[in-house]
């Protein structure tokens, strides 16, 4: 058994700072080791960055969490409205330029412009209605044909769908499992087949009435713009053409806003196209007017 080594120092000389610690010191040291927990306000630091939550978070909300975060691309109104507005502007600008280039008096230009507005708006509306209605009927016919094929040959249709998914890079086993699972859900199977084979979605057909109404209204508005100087009492052809050019700039910029393209690009593109049409009809009108005279 080993003996404890002899220490010549007194107990007071060998005391350490720990021996002089008081209960208050223990509480102070314990508080220093305890992390501060915020009771309110936004989270900061790495924790806030990882969660992306809180009112002060700089992380944008994922689009998948926002209902209806896509624009309406199936209603049919945007294409018809854009087509109608641009057609109305270009048609009447070119018509006024051609008639004015032929030497017709302002009164005759107004008559021709108003006639072009009414005839063009009606023609656009009828054409859009017939076009969209015919397209919807063709799609409905193909959907019904696909429905019948699913009822008659479910195995072959499931294999066809699986092959299309495999061609897109999906694992063959997973693709066939998904296609087989859809056989117990005929309506969902039809939706997938129509989307993959026809590129459309059942139940989202554009409205022919909406397309007709939007094209009629926007054509009339577009065709009215170059006529405004004459209707307000002006007699200058060039003032009418400049007004039409401003309308082309505005229409092009507005259309570009729907697609995310630069507004200046859309405005200049439409001005160049409409200007080319007006120049062509003006020159033809001038030639025809001289020959008639």
């Amino acid at each position: 058994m080993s003996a404890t080594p002899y220490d010549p120092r007194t107990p007071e000389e060998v005391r350490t700072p720990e021996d002089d610690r008081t209960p208050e010191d223990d509480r102070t040291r314990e508080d220093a080791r305890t992390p501060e927990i915020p009771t309110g306000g936004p989270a900061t630091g790495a924790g806030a960055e990882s969660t992306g939550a809180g009112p002060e978070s700089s992380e944008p909300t994922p689009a998948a969490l926002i209902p209806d975060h896509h624009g309406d691309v199936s209603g049919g109104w945007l294409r018809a409205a854009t087509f109608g507005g641009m057609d109305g502007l270009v048609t009447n600008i070119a018509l006024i330029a051609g008639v004015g280039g032929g030497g017709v008096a302002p009164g005759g230009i107004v008559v021709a412009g108003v006639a072009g507005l009414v005839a063009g708006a009606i023609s656009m509306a009828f054409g859009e209605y017939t076009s969209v209605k015919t397209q919807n009927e063709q799609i409905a016919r193909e959907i019904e044909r696909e429905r019948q094929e699913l009822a008659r040959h479910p195995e072959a249709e499931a294999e066809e769908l699986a092959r299309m998914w495999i061609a897109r890079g999906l694992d063959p086993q997973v693709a066939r499992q998904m296609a087989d699972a859809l056989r117990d859900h005929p309506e969902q199977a039809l939706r997938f087949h129509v989307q993959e084979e026809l590129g459309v979605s059942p139940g989202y057909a554009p409205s022919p009435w909406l397309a007709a109404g939007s094209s009629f209204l926007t054509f009339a508005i577009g065709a009215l713009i170059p006529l405004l100087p004459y209707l307000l009492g002006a007699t200058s052809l060039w003032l009418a053409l400049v007004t039409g050019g401003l309308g082309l700039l505005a229409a092009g910029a507005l259309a570009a806003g729907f697609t995310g393209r630069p507004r200046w690009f859309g405005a200049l593109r439409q001005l160049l196209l409409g200007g080319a049409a007006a120049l062509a009809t003006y020159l033809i009108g001038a030639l025809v007017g001289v020959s008639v005279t």
Side-chain angles (χ1 to χ4, degrees):
M1 180 176 181
S2 60
T4 303
Y6 172 73
D7 190 343
R9 294 177 297 174
T10 64
E12 287 75 11
E13 294 175 329
V14 298
R15 289 180 64 86
T16 64
E18 294 293 329
D19 297 325
D20 296 328
R21 190 176 61 199
T22 64
E24 289 74 11
D25 295 332
D26 292 338
R27 286 193 294 270
T28 302
R29 295 178 63 182
E30 193 66 29
D31 293 340
R33 289 196 300 266
T34 304
E36 182 180 356
I37 300 177
T39 58
T44 59
E49 293 177 0
S50 61
T51 59
E56 300 296 330
S57 174
S58 60
E59 293 293 331
T61 302
L65 301 181
I66 304 175
D68 301 327
H69 57 276
H70 285 293
D72 179 17
V73 296
S74 62
W77 69 270
L78 180 58
R79 183 194 63 84
T82 304
F83 187 23
M86 300 302 182
D87 196 14
L89 270 166
V90 175
T91 296
N92 247 16
I93 290 173
L95 178 62
I96 291 173
V99 175
V104 177
I109 294 177
V110 172
V111 172
V114 172
L117 185 157
V118 175
I122 294 175
S123 176
M124 282 291 300
F126 287 173
E128 282 292 336
Y129 178 86
T130 303
S131 173
V132 175
K133 187 68 173 178
T134 302
Q135 178 185 357
N136 288 350
E137 291 172 349
Q138 182 186 20
I139 292 174
R141 177 185 179 187
E142 295 299 323
I143 291 176
E144 183 58 32
R145 178 181 298 177
E146 189 65 28
R147 190 191 305 274
Q148 294 175 3
E149 287 297 315
L150 284 170
R152 295 171 182 169
H153 311 288
E155 295 85 2
E157 289 295 320
E159 179 62 23
E160 179 188 25
L161 185 60
R163 287 200 304 268
M164 287 188 287
W165 284 339
I166 294 171
R168 293 191 177 191
L170 197 62
D171 180 77
Q173 183 178 359
V174 175
R176 288 189 169 86
Q177 288 176 349
M178 293 173 60
D180 290 338
L182 285 172
R183 290 170 56 184
D184 298 330
H185 306 278
E187 289 302 317
Q188 293 299 322
L190 176 64
R191 182 172 66 87
F192 276 101
H193 277 273
V194 170
Q195 287 177 339
E196 294 292 339
E197 297 181 36
L198 302 179
V200 297
S201 180
Y204 290 94
S207 168
W209 290 107
L210 182 60
S214 59
S215 63
F216 178 92
L217 181 62
T218 54
F219 185 98
I221 294 174
L224 179 63
I225 291 176
L227 276 175
L228 285 176
Y230 287 111
L231 296 177
L232 295 176
T235 58
S236 172
L237 171 64
W238 297 108
L239 180 59
L241 295 180
V242 169
T243 303
L246 294 176
L248 289 171
L249 287 172
L254 181 62
F258 286 101
T259 63
R261 301 279 292 181
R263 292 184 183 273
W264 64 265
F265 176 81
L268 290 180
R269 177 179 61 183
Q270 196 59 35
L271 179 63
L272 290 175
L273 293 175
L279 177 62
T281 55
Y282 178 83
L283 294 176
I284 293 174
L287 292 174
V288 172
V290 170
S291 63
V292 171
T293 302

